[in-house]
Amino acid sequence: MNIVRFHEPVTLSFRKSAGGSTMAFNAHTDFVFSNAQLDRVMQDENIRNRTLKVSRLDNLVPNFHVNNSDTRIQGKNRVLVYNGSGGYGDQIITWPLTLILAQAGYEVHVMVDPGNQTCWWNLPWVKSIHVLPMQHEIFKMFDHHILFDHVCNMIEHGVNPHPLDIMLAKIGINPDTIPSQLKVVRPQFTAAEMQSTLPYRERQIAIYQFASANPVRNLPPQDSAFMLKKLTEAFPQFTWMALYDEFIPKEYVQACLEPEIDPETNEPKKNDKGEPMMRVKFPNVILLFVPNLRELWALTSQAKIVVSPDSMMVHAAGCQDVPCVGLWGPYSPASRVKYYTNHHPIPNTSVCPQAPCGHYLPTFPK
């Protein structure tokens, strides 16, 4: 964590698939930035030239440990929790940590990266949600800070502990003393979020996630399309919702499309722009550009089954006890889905000769 001060006003944009934030930073005011955020914005020479001061925050924040904290007796029980691992699944994994703290008597607040705030809506024990970067003066209003810049993949080769167990151990709670059923929290949806599932209530819905944001975790596009084809053949009674977003390479969707043929001319149909009209070449498949994140999770609660790589849908299904088949690469399912009782992993450890492999890379190793 870092304290950053600008000598001129700065406007920065942050974006995730669930949404983004554009934030304005006034001059000569201290703001808290995560390491990843600071690294990203400092790549812009214009921003670097407007930066007055960068200081490390870590040494100013004492480590939080439940056994060393008797300040609740004095009324100082406000705790700010942050998991900067980044993914939506990592936020879902962190929900039980905040509930355990609330049940222990703490007033729980959370700090999130831009785009992750919707993950924390409607959890009644979470008193407030703050988006990072945030003003340092607001940061200091909390009595305790639990800050995890990164939790997952701590051991490159070997079985990692479950991320929740790592976080519990770091704040002085023996993970073995927490019942497994308390290590999974189900989201709570509003009436409007559940209303969004009405168009699909008459169907048996199955959800297929094409790919995650990381290629090491995914089937290649043609293999992913082939998997979807085989699923539709094996389970024709389901309507398969094939999920993608702007961060999924377009090759995944293209592998599921074919030109629409005019039966009279036997030629491909064309739109007003003269471009070929495409259709899904598999029956009972709807290509679904990821809608509102909360509505997608509400739809997941109605699904008969989810098939997904090591990505968000594994956790969206797991925390709601929806049957899920996980298509795993070299990473260990036990490290991520240990407490999802209805998850059925199919690992492919041959991807890495030293599997299980927790090395997070944007591309395959050489």
Side-chain angles (χ1 to χ4, degrees):
M1 288 289 176
N2 308 273
I3 301 175
V4 180
R5 180 183 297 181
F6 302 102
H7 64 75
E8 295 289 346
V10 169
T11 300
L12 301 173
S13 294
F14 304 88
R15 181 153 186 81
K16 290 181 70 72
S17 55
S21 298
T22 298
M23 307 173 70
F25 302 89
N26 54 307
H28 303 290
T29 300
D30 289 339
F31 294 91
V32 178
F33 278 67
S34 71
N35 293 335
Q37 289 175 336
L38 181 62
D39 291 343
R40 185 161 61 251
V41 300
M42 287 296 109
Q43 295 175 8
D44 186 328
E45 183 177 359
N46 182 51
I47 301 300
R48 289 200 307 271
N49 292 337
R50 296 185 178 194
T51 303
L52 179 64
K53 183 184 72 171
V54 176
S55 305
R56 292 290 292 170
L57 178 64
D58 304 64
N59 292 337
L60 303 177
V61 180
N63 292 329
F64 176 86
H65 195 285
V66 291
N67 294 330
N68 295 337
S69 177
D70 59 355
T71 53
R72 283 176 294 166
I73 301 174
Q74 305 168 26
K76 296 183 177 180
N77 66 340
R78 292 169 300 178
V79 58
L80 183 67
V81 179
Y82 170 71
N83 182 352
S85 295
Y88 301 128
D90 296 295
Q91 302 305 300
I92 292 173
I93 287 173
T94 311
W95 291 346
L97 174 70
T98 60
L99 180 57
I100 292 166
L101 287 168
Q103 292 177 340
Y106 289 95
E107 180 184 297
V108 178
H109 306 258
V110 297
M111 182 171 67
V112 298
D113 293 320
N116 281 344
Q117 54 265 46
T118 57
C119 299
W120 291 90
W121 289 353
N122 305 331
L123 299 178
W125 61 89
V126 175
K127 301 304 181 183
S128 66
I129 304 168
H130 302 266
V131 179
L132 198 66
M134 67 185 296
Q135 285 194 27
H136 187 219
E137 289 301 317
I138 297 177
F139 181 89
K140 291 191 296 184
M141 291 180 179
F142 299 95
D143 303 307
H144 314 287
H145 302 82
I146 301 176
L147 308 177
F148 299 112
D149 264 334
H150 199 65
V151 177
C152 57
N153 306 357
M154 306 301 289
I155 302 171
E156 183 170 335
H157 289 103
V159 177
N160 283 262
H162 189 277
L164 175 61
D165 291 343
I166 293 174
M167 290 186 284
L168 289 170
K170 281 183 173 289
I171 64 172
I173 298 176
N174 182 351
D176 296 335
T177 64
I178 305 297
S180 295
Q181 62 268 26
L182 294 182
K183 294 183 177 181
V184 177
V185 167
R186 183 184 293 266
Q188 301 184 28
F189 300 113
T190 65
E193 289 166 351
M194 292 305 300
Q195 186 87 7
S196 67
T197 69
L198 286 178
Y200 306 104
R201 291 283 178 88
E202 301 302 319
R203 308 187 187 193
Q204 293 192 79
I205 296 296
I207 296 178
Y208 180 77
Q209 184 175 351
F210 276 117
S212 73
N214 186 279
V216 177
R217 301 183 182 187
N218 301 332
L219 292 170
Q222 290 296 332
D223 289 352
S224 183
F226 179 76
M227 176 66 73
L228 178 59
K229 174 178 181 291
K230 301 302 287 186
L231 286 168
T232 62
E233 293 172 351
F235 303 97
Q237 72 273 30
F238 295 155
T239 298
W240 286 89
M241 316 295 290
L243 304 180
Y244 68 102
D245 61 22
E246 60 188 287
F247 296 97
I248 301 300
K250 60 183 180 181
E251 289 79 9
Y252 282 90
V253 174
Q254 290 173 341
C256 298
L257 299 176
E258 63 182 6
E260 188 172 349
I261 303 299
D262 188 329
E264 295 182 0
T265 63
N266 206 31
E267 296 289 333
K269 292 182 179 180
K270 294 186 178 181
N271 59 23
D272 295 339
K273 298 181 180 179
E275 302 167 334
M277 297 176 64
M278 308 297 288
R279 67 177 183 88
V280 181
K281 59 185 178 182
F282 310 135
N284 300 327
V285 170
I286 297 175
L287 296 180
L288 184 63
F289 188 82
V290 172
N292 174 288
L293 183 65
R294 303 282 309 182
E295 293 178 358
L296 173 60
W297 290 356
L299 180 63
T300 304
S301 71
Q302 309 296 311
K304 299 298 183 182
I305 190 170
V306 171
V307 179
S308 173
D310 171 19
S311 191
M312 173 192 67
M313 289 308 301
V314 161
H315 303 282
C319 70
Q320 300 184 79
D321 201 34
V322 174
C324 179
V325 175
L327 307 177
W328 290 78
Y331 198 52
S332 168
S335 301
R336 297 288 287 175
V337 296
K338 180 178 180 180
Y339 301 115
Y340 299 150
T341 58
N342 219 346
H343 184 84
H344 311 276
I346 303 176
N348 180 16
T349 55
S350 65
V351 176
C352 176
Q354 299 185 67
C357 175
H359 200 9
Y360 191 92
L361 295 172
T363 58
F364 276 102
K366 63 179 179 181

